[in-house]
Amino acid sequence: MTLELPTPPAETRQPALRLSMKPRGCSGGAVDGAWWPRSADPATEFPPLLAVLGADGRVRRVSYHLGSWRRAGRTLDVGDVTVRMEGFHFIQPDTVILVNADHTRIRLLVVPSPRANAVHAVPEARGTVDEDRWEGDGGRA
């Protein structure tokens, strides 16, 4: 007998986590993996990541660059574990660091989606090379 479970409605399904980790035993390099979040909202993006990488409750802290993410609360509850969220200016903008209970770290390269760039100011296109030169010399168009 086969039991078929109903498919949840599209609006309640979570999109797949876009994460690639180095193979176990592979040492060296500056990062342990790469992560492609869909937005710059920590409350939306970090829980699925922590559910995978901290499934056993070992991740206790997340460090991130303040200019790369929207404001986050000081803590984030993932299941029955409270994870401390720490924003810094000195962390590389394209990385997040997960700190485990035993103080080991997981450093991830963050590859932002085009929609995640809402946090960063995107310069407006200018009209001419002369206008660019004028602004570059200290003038204002």
Side-chain angles (χ1 to χ4, degrees):
M1 182 168 134
T2 304
L3 178 64
E4 290 187 31
L5 298 175
T7 303
E11 61 273 2
T12 62
R13 277 185 262 148
Q14 292 292 328
L17 182 66
R18 300 180 301 177
L19 175 68
S20 178
M21 299 297 290
K22 277 192 211 179
R24 289 197 184 274
C26 183
S27 62
V31 297
D32 301 304
W35 175 43
W36 290 260
R38 289 176 172 80
S39 74
D41 180 18
T44 301
E45 299 299 332
F46 283 108
L49 177 69
L50 294 169
V52 169
L53 294 180
D56 57 2
R58 69 177 183 258
V59 176
R60 299 296 182 185
R61 291 185 294 152
V62 173
S63 298
Y64 60 92
H65 188 270
L66 284 169
S68 298
W69 294 90
R70 293 188 190 128
R71 286 208 177 265
R74 292 186 180 263
T75 62
L76 187 62
D77 292 326
V78 181
D80 59 349
V81 176
T82 299
V83 178
R84 198 165 85 198
M85 303 295 290
E86 300 174 325
F88 299 102
H89 288 288
F90 64 83
I91 291 177
Q92 292 292 329
D94 58 352
T95 61
V96 295
I97 301 168
L98 309 177
V99 182
N100 294 323
D102 65 359
H103 302 288
T104 58
R105 296 168 188 264
I106 301 169
R107 183 183 305 265
L108 297 175
L109 173 67
V110 177
V111 183
S113 73
R115 288 178 287 181
N117 287 336
V119 170
H120 304 288
V122 178
E124 292 180 18
R126 296 194 185 117
T128 66
V129 173
D130 290 334
E131 193 174 326
D132 288 340
R133 187 177 301 128
W134 170 255
E135 290 218 13
D137 289 340
R140 286 276 180 230

